[in-house]
Structure formats: structure tokens, C-alpha cells
Amino acid sequence: AQKITQTQPGMFVQEKEAVTLDCTYDTSDQSYGLFWYKQPSSGEMIFLIYQGSYDEQNATEGRYSLNFQKARKSANLVISASQLGDSAMYFCAMREGWATRQAGTALIFGKGTTLSVSS
Amino acid sequence: GAVVSQHPSWVICKSGTSVKIECRSLDFQATTMFWYRQFPKQSLMLMATSNEGSKATYEQGVEKDKFLINHASLTLSTLTVTSAHPEDSSFYICSASPPGQPQYFGPGTRLTVL
């Protein structure tokens, strides 16, 4: 079974609009971390935002916010006021054991969502 | 955020040759680094976990004799693709994280084997 599911292969949005990229996850761990990364066509992976499983508040980072619904096991990324430069592939990822600060645990990635922003 | 560098950014080689890719953590020490492989328009697949001073841990299906990993210091891990073949052509990317922080990725290496 997939641990990270991103059901939207592609999303289209106009400049200045908000967009939500979906992510659901599956884990039996109580401690975990959820991450979103952006990958433009250059290939680099850019860290955007994270949410710890014990964090009560939804994470926010500038125009990015993470809509964390623990009971539903979802961690959707919301991008407000989209810009042309937001066009990229977006990956949701999980690291089990994050909350215990285990740096030695690899990330599990979803299949990604390609976001296209038009003017 | 933390900085991870990777070298080279792209390489073209002939079939049968070996290629070495370096991954460095520039502003932190990393006892663990990760190597991923990515095919076009697909997700990142974890190949192996590189551990400083000990053997790497390979994911199922990854040939350890083909993809040699050496983590010789707290800031450097290398991936050597031995006897490369066209099917090894891919985007290879490494990552590491300072304690308690997210994983930061290198810029990746595009390998093309002719």
C-alpha cells in the first residue's frame, strides 16, 4: 500500500489565485513529519514547509500553508496568490520518526503533482 | 536552510565506464546521507542510505556492486556507478539533514550513458 498518495497528476491555476494540492498518508507511527518540496524544471528539490505529527497548529511559511487534518491523515498544501514561478512539480513526503529528530530516516515520497500557473 | 552540494551537475559517459558523483554537506555534518534516483516525470526512488564510517544500506532491488557508496567523512558521500549502461541514465540526487531539521537536497546529477 502506498504510504503517500497524491491523487492529482496535474493542476492548473491562474496567477493570483489560490490552489490546494492534495496529499494523504498512511502510517502506524505516532511520531512522523510531513513535508512538501517543489521541483522546478531545473531538477533541484526545494524544501517548502513541514508539519510535525504533534504540532497542533497548521504550518505556514509565507504563501505556503499546510492544511493538516490528522484524523483524515491528510496534509494538503495551499499556495495563496499563485505566481508564474510556482509552476513546478510538487512532492509530498513523510518521514516516520521525525518528531524524535531521527535524521537517519529517509523520506517517503508521493508521485507528485505538476502545477501549471498561467497569466 | 542547510546547503548540500553535488558534483558534477551533469555527465555523459560511454557504456562500460564508471562515473563518480559527489555529495557534500557544506554547512553541517551529516552522519547519514541519502541517494535517490529519478526518472523523467516520476517520483524520487530511494536507492540507499549512506552511513559515515560504515556500509551503506541499499533498498531492495538496488545492486550494491553496481552502485558503490562511500561515506568517508562527515561531509562527503560518493556514489559510483560502475560499468554504466544506457539503462543507468537517470537523475541522481542526494540529501542530508542537520539534526532536527528537514532534509535538504543537492542540485542533482543528470547521467547520460551512451
Side-chain angles (χ1 to χ4, degrees):
Chain A
Q2 284 187 45
K3 290 212 165 190
I4 297 286
T5 303
Q6 293 181 255
T7 57
Q8 307 154 314
M11 287 286 283
F12 296 87
V13 68
Q14 285 208 310
E15 256 187 311
K16 300 179 185 177
E17 291 184 350
V19 62
T20 298
L21 306 183
D22 294 341
C23 173
T24 57
Y25 61 92
D26 183 26
T27 181
S28 56
D29 279 11
Q30 296 301 309
S31 265
Y32 52 90
L34 297 157
F35 305 79
W36 278 92
Y37 287 85
K38 171 184 178 181
Q39 188 179 41
S41 56
S42 60
E44 60 183 316
M45 291 286 285
I46 302 168
F47 164 70
L48 297 178
I49 195 168
Y50 84 92
Q51 179 90 35
S53 59
Y54 292 123
D55 294 339
E56 293 185 355
Q57 302 260 4
N58 283 347
T60 60
E61 196 70 51
R63 294 187 298 111
Y64 305 107
S65 60
L66 201 153
N67 184 0
F68 181 46
Q69 297 189 39
K70 197 169 181 176
R72 293 186 177 184
K73 293 191 173 179
S74 75
N76 299 339
L77 176 71
V78 180
I79 304 175
S80 63
S82 296
Q83 301 172 357
L84 293 177
D86 294 334
S87 294
M89 196 149 185
Y90 288 80
F91 290 99
C92 179
M94 175 172 65
R95 186 161 89 187
E96 291 167 314
W98 161 257
T100 62
R101 296 172 181 249
Q102 293 176 6
T105 308
L107 289 172
I108 303 164
F109 283 91
K111 292 187 175 182
T113 295
T114 300
L115 176 66
S116 300
V117 182
S118 59
S119 57
Chain B
V3 180
V4 176
S5 72
Q6 206 171 322
H7 178 80
S9 54
W10 59 270
V11 58
I12 302 172
C13 70
K14 290 183 179 179
S15 190
T17 60
S18 293
V19 174
K20 181 187 281 189
I21 303 169
E22 293 186 347
C23 177
R24 293 181 187 273
S25 56
L26 297 186
D27 53 358
F28 66 98
Q29 294 184 329
T31 54
T32 303
M33 291 183 174
F34 303 96
W35 287 96
Y36 295 84
R37 183 175 181 176
Q38 186 181 30
F39 291 106
K41 299 195 184 299
Q42 293 189 22
S43 188
L44 279 73
M45 286 179 5
L46 178 67
M47 297 176 66
T49 301
S50 172
N51 303 298
E52 189 268 335
S54 65
K55 290 183 179 180
T57 305
Y58 291 82
E59 294 300 299
Q60 193 172 10
V62 177
E63 299 174 60
K64 60 181 180 182
D65 294 331
K66 180 162 191 62
F67 299 100
L68 300 179
I69 290 172
N70 183 21
H71 196 145
S73 77
L74 286 171
T75 58
L76 173 64
S77 173
T78 60
L79 168 68
T80 301
V81 183
T82 62
S83 186
H85 290 286
E87 57 266 29
D88 299 323
S89 298
S90 189
F91 186 63
Y92 294 87
I93 190 165
C94 67
S95 73
S97 64
Q101 292 195 40
Q103 276 190 32
Y104 291 94
F105 286 80
T109 298
R110 294 194 187 277
L111 170 63
T112 302
V113 184
L114 302 176

